[in-house]
Amino acid sequence: RLLLHDVSHELRSPVARMRLAVGLAQQQPEKLASALSRIERETERLDELLGQMLTLSRLESGISSESSEKLSLNDLLATIVQDANFEAQAVGSNIQFKASHEVILHGHYELLRRAFENIIRNALKYNQAGESIEVSIRQDHQALIVEVRDHGPGLPDTETQSVFQPFYRVQGTDKPGHIGYGLGLAIAKRAIEHHQGNIVLSNCEDGGLCVRCSFPLSITSNSSPIAG
């Protein structure tokens, strides 16, 4: 019931803004262009929200339409970082990607893409302007580890588990112009656990938040050090 309430609230807000835009266009035809622009933005937000909700629903039910395949984790992360860097550059920041190993793993490409895209974009959202975000892959004898570290305000220690709940938001952390639905980390956690992994959030001693994702070596193959 709580989830249904939250979903209804999140859907109602953009729909209400679209109705206002339609009313404005009807009453003031000279403002049709701006009304259509508003409707377009709200449609995109609805599409994003529905996509996130469908992904979360698949993960919650344990059903995924994506078949498991061999994929390059390095290539997947590099593509996400490259795309996100366009947004980072607009605020004078950048995202650095380092990998000690070339990693091929068995997994669901779309679920992992959504998981890491949500984590990296979340870091970008809260990162201090002008600071770098570090994304890294490393491997030890026990696990494959992906870390994403930002230079933002971090999280209260009491919130590091709560943020994995669907639609949960930490009070006072939203930035103007950044609309979040509280689904990104919920999806990331379930997608990573779907791959037998785990995700841990911790505050860095010198500021910022570190997101550490660990996977068993059993889902990897042909992992080898990167030369140079």
Side-chain angles (χ1 to χ4, degrees):
R1 287 198 300 269
L2 179 60
L3 182 61
L4 181 59
H5 173 270
D6 290 336
V7 170
S8 299
H9 174 77
E10 295 296 346
L11 290 173
R12 190 175 294 121
S13 296
V15 169
R17 290 191 291 267
M18 290 171 72
R19 293 182 65 183
L20 285 173
V22 170
L24 178 65
Q26 291 174 334
Q27 296 172 15
Q28 303 180 48
E30 70 276 10
K31 295 186 177 180
L32 177 61
S34 62
L36 289 175
S37 178
R38 164 61 71 177
I39 291 171
E40 182 180 22
R41 290 199 301 272
E42 298 302 337
T43 301
E44 290 172 354
R45 289 170 181 165
L46 278 173
D47 185 61
E48 178 189 353
L49 174 58
L50 291 171
Q52 297 271 44
M53 287 168 51
L54 287 171
T55 299
L56 180 65
S57 177
R58 293 207 313 268
L59 289 166
E60 290 280 13
S61 64
I63 298 173
S64 173
S65 60
E66 301 289 331
S67 59
S68 182
E69 59 182 305
K70 280 188 178 182
L71 58 94
S72 168
L73 183 60
N74 302 63
D75 289 348
L76 180 128
L77 287 172
T79 299
I80 296 171
V81 167
Q82 183 180 34
D83 290 343
N85 254 324
F86 281 106
E87 298 172 36
Q89 291 169 6
V91 292
S93 299
N94 68 89
I95 306 173
Q96 301 175 354
F97 175 47
K98 297 180 180 179
S100 62
H101 283 70
E102 182 70 33
V103 178
I104 305 298
L105 58 77
H106 300 269
H108 299 261
Y109 183 91
E110 183 59 23
L111 294 184
L112 288 172
R113 185 195 66 79
R114 279 189 175 269
F116 288 119
E117 184 172 50
N118 283 331
I119 293 170
I120 292 171
R121 291 190 178 280
N122 199 63
L124 179 58
K125 176 181 177 181
Y126 295 107
N127 190 53
Q128 184 176 343
E131 295 284 352
S132 297
I133 294 169
E134 294 92 42
V135 179
S136 64
I137 301 175
R138 72 176 191 273
Q139 183 176 314
D140 58 27
H141 296 297
Q142 297 180 327
L144 168 69
I145 301 165
V146 178
E147 284 189 347
V148 179
R149 187 261 167 94
D150 66 44
H151 294 269
L155 282 173
D157 291 336
T158 55
E159 304 279 5
T160 55
Q161 289 300 316
S162 301
V163 292
F164 292 121
Q165 300 173 16
F167 297 105
Y168 186 88
R169 296 187 185 90
V170 179
Q171 294 296 321
T173 60
D174 283 338
K175 287 186 176 182
H178 292 272
I179 295 180
Y181 300 107
L183 288 174
L185 289 176
I187 289 172
K189 178 178 173 65
R190 286 154 181 78
I192 289 166
E193 290 178 345
H194 185 83
H195 291 82
Q196 306 169 47
N198 66 78
I199 178 172
V200 177
L201 307 184
S202 62
N203 290 303
C204 306
E205 291 184 2
D206 55 346
L209 187 71
C210 178
V211 182
R212 176 173 174 166
C213 306
S214 302
F215 299 91
L217 297 181
S218 59
I219 70 167
T220 70
S221 62
N222 300 325
S223 297
S224 58
I226 294 177

